[in-house]
Amino acid sequence: MALTVHAIKGTQDVLPSQSGRWQYIERRLIETARLYGFRELRTPVFEHTELFNRSVGDTTDVVQKEMYTFDDNGGRSVSLRPEGTAGAVRAFLEHGLHNEALPAKICYVSGCYRYEKPQAGRLREFHQFGVECFGAPSPAADAEVIALAASAFDALGVRNLRLELNSIGCPACRPKYSQALKDYFTAHEAELCDTCRERLTRNPMRILDCKSPVCAAVAAKAPLVTDYLCEDCRAHQRGVEAHLNARGVAFINNPRIVRGLDYYTRTVFEFISSDLGAQATVCGGGRYDGLVEQMGGPSVPALGFGMGLERLLMVMEAQGCPFPEDKPCQVYLAPMGDAASLEATRLCGMLRDEGFSAETDLAGRGLKAQMKYANKLGARYTVVLGEQELADGKARLKNMGTGEEREVILPDGLLSALYDSEIEGALNDLNATLESDWLRKEEK
Ligand code: ATP
Ligand code: MG
């Protein structure tokens, strides 16, 4: 029989052999965020469509072309989240977090959904690690959020990322820049794609982000936002740069980054890898000082970033970054006969209560087939349980790596042997971690 229903195009299964890598990445990211005082927020995968129209912006590609939007059975329009900030802002307001201590610092790891053309590093379901910091107007906050992303890359051993930084102004100076763009693009209207011609009246800054090569060529000569910034925005940008320099976070100014979502003000940034192909931006973010108010809340300046985890994993694999070894089955109990099978089940329960991963036969196999299975599992140790072992209360514990065997008394001797090997393993792990941390610091 052939499989007739396949996974949706642009989605990926994470198989058991790979999921350890994902768990490791997520753990390190959340742990890094915690060091900066960011705690996890979990929001639903779908929201009222209006939330994204109003926050992400209804002239953006994300809202116009990429959202998974449908009516539920009650006739309400809902959308799968295309990004994490909108839901975070909604939850922040809905739970009155703006009345609690500010800045409020949150992070999340969540699936995002965009109807895009699938290719390497571009999926329809992808995952983001994101952070948001609410109630922090100071340039120190921009540097803090950027430094958090840099620390996260560092913690995972990722190297050679280029941090590009820009300011895209505020409601005081943006209109003048928009007008300058409108004038420029109107003069080149005939060359633009249909979508960009529409953008010309509604949101000319979006043209700068168009992926069509023709529009990109026109945009390359467009006026630069940095020539139109007001004094406050300039001072803010200088402040961010000073704080980044003080922390030793290297960056380059790129007056051409604008970002694909409407809500950004002032600082925008991207971390770009030269180890990826066309989809080279691993992390993007910026400040969105007007968004909370625009969503019906008080004026709360805020900022954040989104990091694409599929792209992050691609960079890590391309760079040969270290991943922790998957923990295999610690001990496999191979019973022979019904009485031994009951004893093996009992022993497994006891070992698991002590925190050891233990497995036994669930397929009614003979000894040879069981040992083959234990081998495939990568079991560290095996114990054969037959009538003799049950009668003596002793068995042979075999180290599958070295082939070494020794007699243990059941169950205490077995337990203490496993504890000994656990301690040895933990010491080795600790040494390896210390060594790689030390090497990383040396490299710096
Ligand atoms: P791009 O220019 O690559 O389309 P974007 O500007 O749309 O990116 P953001 O909305 O800022 O991206 O999302 C933040 C990060 O999420 C990106 O830098 C990228 O790492 C990741 N990302 C965005 N869209 C996708 C996707 N379709 N598939 C995989 N990762 C994605
Ligand atoms: Mg995009």
Side-chain angles (χ1 to χ4, degrees):
M1 215 169 73
L3 180 66
T4 50
V5 183
H6 294 271
I8 289 178
K9 197 171 150 191
T11 68
Q12 272 179 357
D13 298 309
V14 176
L15 297 180
S17 58
Q18 285 291 304
S19 57
R21 296 194 158 199
W22 280 86
Q23 288 166 359
Y24 164 70
I25 289 176
E26 290 173 14
R27 210 168 49 236
R28 288 229 93 161
L29 292 173
I30 296 277
E31 177 62 14
T32 306
R34 190 191 61 79
L35 296 177
Y36 282 74
F38 288 67
R39 289 188 300 163
E40 194 181 358
L41 168 76
R42 298 189 183 198
T43 62
V45 70
F46 59 172
E47 300 270 1
H48 291 295
T49 301
E50 186 194 348
L51 179 76
F52 302 115
N53 292 347
R54 284 178 50 186
S55 58
V56 175
D58 50 16
T59 58
T60 58
D61 273 2
V62 170
V63 164
Q64 281 192 340
K65 302 194 227 159
E66 298 172 2
M67 252 190 340
Y68 278 89
T69 297
F70 54 95
D71 286 346
D72 68 9
N73 287 348
R76 284 167 290 260
S77 178
V78 298
S79 297
L80 301 185
R81 69 174 157 236
E83 53 90 65
T85 303
V89 171
R90 179 199 51 69
F92 173 76
L93 287 175
E94 198 154 344
H95 300 282
L97 301 187
H98 52 288
N99 298 319
E100 296 178 12
L102 290 181
K105 296 183 275 186
I106 61 106
C107 64
Y108 48 84
V109 172
S110 38
C112 297
Y113 303 83
R114 296 184 191 178
Y115 192 78
E116 299 198 71
K117 193 161 162 256
Q119 49 199 291
R122 193 175 293 288
L123 292 136
R124 291 183 174 171
E125 181 188 60
F126 63 100
H127 297 80
Q128 272 190 358
F129 164 62
V131 313
E132 317 288 347
C133 176
F134 296 103
S138 156
D142 305 52
E144 177 91 341
V145 162
I146 292 171
L148 197 174
S151 297
F153 289 127
D154 223 27
L156 291 167
V158 176
R159 303 169 305 271
N160 303 332
L161 294 178
R162 189 169 77 245
L163 167 60
E164 296 193 352
L165 191 66
N166 193 21
S167 172
I168 55 168
C170 68
C173 52
R174 180 90 57 79
K176 245 210 269 165
Y177 178 56
S178 285
Q179 189 55 52
L181 279 183
K182 213 177 261 184
D183 295 344
Y184 171 79
F185 284 120
T186 306
H188 294 83
E189 194 171 348
E191 296 156 62
L192 300 176
C193 72
D194 291 348
T195 322
C196 280
R197 243 174 272 147
E198 228 172 86
R199 288 169 171 148
L200 193 49
T201 44
R202 294 186 64 198
N203 193 345
M205 235 167 83
R206 287 274 64 81
I207 304 175
L208 299 175
D209 215 27
C210 183
K211 303 233 152 64
S212 128
V214 186
C215 298
V218 179
K221 295 195 189 101
L224 293 177
V225 63
T226 35
D227 293 331
Y228 291 81
L229 296 180
C230 62
E231 192 37 50
D232 283 353
C233 285
R234 272 183 215 288
H236 188 90
Q237 192 182 17
R238 282 196 300 271
V240 177
E241 292 175 5
H243 276 277
L244 286 175
N245 286 330
R247 289 164 184 264
V249 176
F251 61 89
I252 55 169
N253 292 106
N254 178 357
R256 296 201 183 275
I257 28 175
V258 291
R259 315 277 314 122
L261 316 175
D262 268 354
Y263 47 65
Y264 289 113
T265 50
R266 292 193 171 162
T267 311
V268 290
F269 60 90
E270 293 186 352
F271 284 85
I272 299 165
S273 168
S274 46
D275 292 299
L276 295 177
Q279 272 55 252
T281 306
V282 187
C283 172
R287 186 168 269 287
Y288 50 89
D289 285 346
L291 183 60
V292 176
E293 194 171 11
Q294 187 188 315
M295 299 308 290
S299 166
V300 179
L303 71 164
F305 66 69
M307 189 183 285
L309 298 192
E310 283 79 4
R311 291 186 197 176
L312 174 63
L313 183 61
M314 283 167 72
V315 177
M316 289 180 68
E317 288 178 344
Q319 295 187 351
C321 295
F323 288 95
E325 252 182 79
D326 258 345
K327 289 243 182 289
C329 164
Q330 275 158 308
V331 56
Y332 181 86
L333 302 175
M336 293 189 296
D338 291 344
S341 173
L342 290 176
E343 181 59 12
T345 308
R346 205 180 63 79
L347 276 174
C348 269
M350 194 195 70
L351 292 168
R352 291 168 186 157
D353 285 348
E354 296 293 322
F356 295 108
S357 64
E359 296 185 52
T360 186
D361 178 47
L362 302 175
R365 288 188 179 124
L367 187 60
K368 208 169 151 201
Q370 287 194 55
M371 295 314 272
K372 213 166 146 188
Y373 178 65
N375 229 335
K376 278 194 187 157
L377 288 181
R380 286 235 164 90
Y381 294 95
T382 52
V383 177
V384 177
L385 289 176
E387 268 170 38
Q388 194 62 49
E389 284 77 9
L390 294 196
D392 297 348
K394 288 189 221 154
R396 297 193 75 74
L397 177 69
K398 180 172 181 185
N399 180 326
M400 297 294 277
T402 61
E404 204 181 305
E405 289 192 27
R406 66 166 145 152
E407 193 168 73
V408 290
I409 294 176
L410 297 174
D412 294 354
L414 173 59
L415 263 181
S416 60
L418 290 176
Y419 273 121
D420 287 349
S421 112
E422 183 87 330
I423 289 168
E424 198 179 312
L427 285 176
N428 287 341
D429 285 354
L430 188 64
N431 272 335
T433 313
L434 290 176
E435 200 170 313
S436 76
D437 280 356
W438 183 81
L439 279 177
R440 217 167 44 225
K441 281 183 193 130
E442 280 287 286
E443 247 178 48
K444 279 192 178 172

